[in-house]
Amino acid sequence: MSTNTDIWISGAFAVVVVDFLVYPFDTLKTRIQSPNYTKIYKNPQTGAVNRSLLFRGLYQGVGSVVLATIPASGAFFTTYEALKHTLHNLPSQSQSIPQLQLQLPTPIIHSLSSCTAEAISCFIITPAEVLKQNAQVVTTTPTNPTSNPQGKGKGKGGKVGSGALLQTMARFRSQPYKLWSGYTALLGRNLPFTGLNWPVFEYLRSCFSGVVVERRRKKENKKGTTDLNGGGSLGGVEHALITGVSAAMAGTVSSVVTTPVDVVKTRMMLGASSTGSADSASGDGKGSRNAWGMGKKVVREEGVRGLFKGGAIRSLWTAVSFGIYLCMYEGGRGFLERRREGESD
C-alpha cells in the first residue's frame, strides 16, 4: 500500500510536468474567455485575430500556479485516498441497528471523496489561479500600462512575459484578500467536474482493467497454462496506461459539461484585479461579485454562446493533462511502492 509520502511525491512530480506541458493551452483558453478578447486580440477594422499577440507570452504567470499546485495536489490525493479507503471499509451493518446497511455505492464513495478533497485543494490553489489568470492577459509593460493596448512594437513579449506576474501581484498589494475572489466560482466549477469525473474515471479504469485481465486469462487458457497468476493482474506500465486513457476520456466528458461554470470562474478571477486599464478583465472596471450575477451578465452581453467560449480547447487540454497527470501519478506511486517493498526484502 502506498504511503502519504509516495502520494505527495508522485502527485508533485506529475503536476509540475503536466503544468508546464499544457500551460499554453490554459493561457489561450483564458484569453478566449476574457471579455476583452475581441477588443484586445482582434483587429477592430477587419475582425481578424492578432495571432502574434494571442500566442505571445503563453507561459505568463506559470510560476505562481506551479508553486501552488504542488501542495494542492498533495492535499487532494492524500484526502481522496484516505477518505475513499475509509468509506470503502465501513462496517456492512451498524452495531446498534443490525438492519441498517452502511455500505455506500462505489460511485457515491468516489464522488464524496473527490469533492471533499477538491474543496481543500481549491482553497490552496485559488490565490495562484487568480494571479495566473490575470497574468495571462497582461499585454503591456509596467512602464506605461495604458498605452499600446494592442501590444504593438513590444517585440516578442520578453518584457511583458517576464514582468506579467509582478505586475499582477502589485495590483493585489493593497487588497490581498481579493486573491480569494472566485473561490466560490472555482468550487462551483470543480465540484461538479470532480464529482462527475472521478466516478466515471474509476468506472472506466475498472472496466478496461477487467477487459485486459479477462483477455489474458483466455489467452492463458488456450495455451493450457494452469498458473493464471500472471494473467490475473496488471503490470505497473499497463496499470498506468489504462489509468491515463480512462482519465482522458472522463476528463473530456466532465470538461464539456462544466464549461459554462469555467467561463464564469475565469471572468470573476479576471475581474478581481480590475483597475480600468487596458488589461482590465471587466473592461469597465466593474465586475459582478457573485457567480450567478456574472453568469447573467455573460448571457446578457454575449448570449448563451458566451458561456461556452474556449470549450473546445478546454476539453482538449483537460483530456491531455488529466490523462498524462494520472498516468504519471499512478506510475510514480507504483514505482515508489515497489521500490520500498524491494528495499524491505
Side-chain angles (χ1 to χ4, degrees), residues 146-157:
T146 59
S147 65
N148 198 13
Q150 301 299 322
K152 297 177 182 178
K154 297 296 180 184
K156 296 298 181 183

Side-chain angles (χ1 to χ4, degrees), residues 15 20 103 117 182 292 298:
V15 78
F20 276 104
Q103 191 63 42
W292 181 252
V298 172

Side-chain angles (χ1 to χ4, degrees), residues 194-263:
T194 302
L196 172 64
N197 185 63
W198 282 87
V200 173
F201 157 69
E202 295 280 10
Y203 173 77
L204 290 175
R205 181 169 65 171
S206 177
C207 289
F208 291 152
S209 298
V211 170
V212 172
V213 169
E214 184 61 27
R215 286 184 177 179
R216 185 175 298 169
R217 286 182 180 275
K218 290 180 179 180
K219 186 177 181 180
E220 294 293 337
N221 283 331
K222 288 181 180 180
K223 292 181 178 180
T225 305
T226 55
D227 182 11
L228 299 179
N229 289 333
S233 61
L234 296 173
V237 175
E238 288 177 316
H239 182 68
L241 289 176
I242 289 176
T243 296
V245 172
S246 303
M249 294 176 65
T252 301
V253 174
S254 303
S255 63
V256 171
V257 174
T258 57
T259 292
V261 189
D262 182 63
V263 172

Side-chain angles (χ1 to χ4, degrees), residues 88 102-110:
H88 268 303
L102 296 179
Q103 191 63 42
L104 296 173
T106 298
I108 299 298
I109 291 177
H110 293 155

Side-chain angles (χ1 to χ4, degrees), residues 99-123:
Q99 294 79 15
L100 179 62
Q101 296 290 326
L102 296 179
Q103 191 63 42
L104 296 173
T106 298
I108 299 298
I109 291 177
H110 293 155
S111 185
L112 288 175
S113 301
S114 59
C115 286
T116 302
E118 190 63 36
I120 297 173
S121 177
C122 283
F123 185 79

Side-chain angles (χ1 to χ4, degrees), residues 29-38 133-134 181-182 185 260-274 280-283 286-291 293-299 301-303 305-310:
K29 183 219 63 164
T30 299
R31 291 173 178 176
I32 292 172
Q33 290 181 347
S34 168
N36 276 345
Y37 172 71
T38 301
Q133 294 203 306
N134 280 277
S181 296
V261 189
D262 182 63
V263 172
V264 172
K265 184 269 300 182
T266 298
R267 296 294 179 89
M268 291 185 68
M269 288 187 169
L270 292 179
S273 67
S274 296
S280 171
S282 63
K286 299 177 182 179
S288 298
R289 294 185 179 182
N290 58 76
M294 181 60 75
K296 290 194 297 184
K297 181 180 178 182
V298 172
V299 173
E301 297 178 354
E302 305 171 43
R305 292 182 60 183
L307 291 174
F308 289 89
K309 277 190 173 181

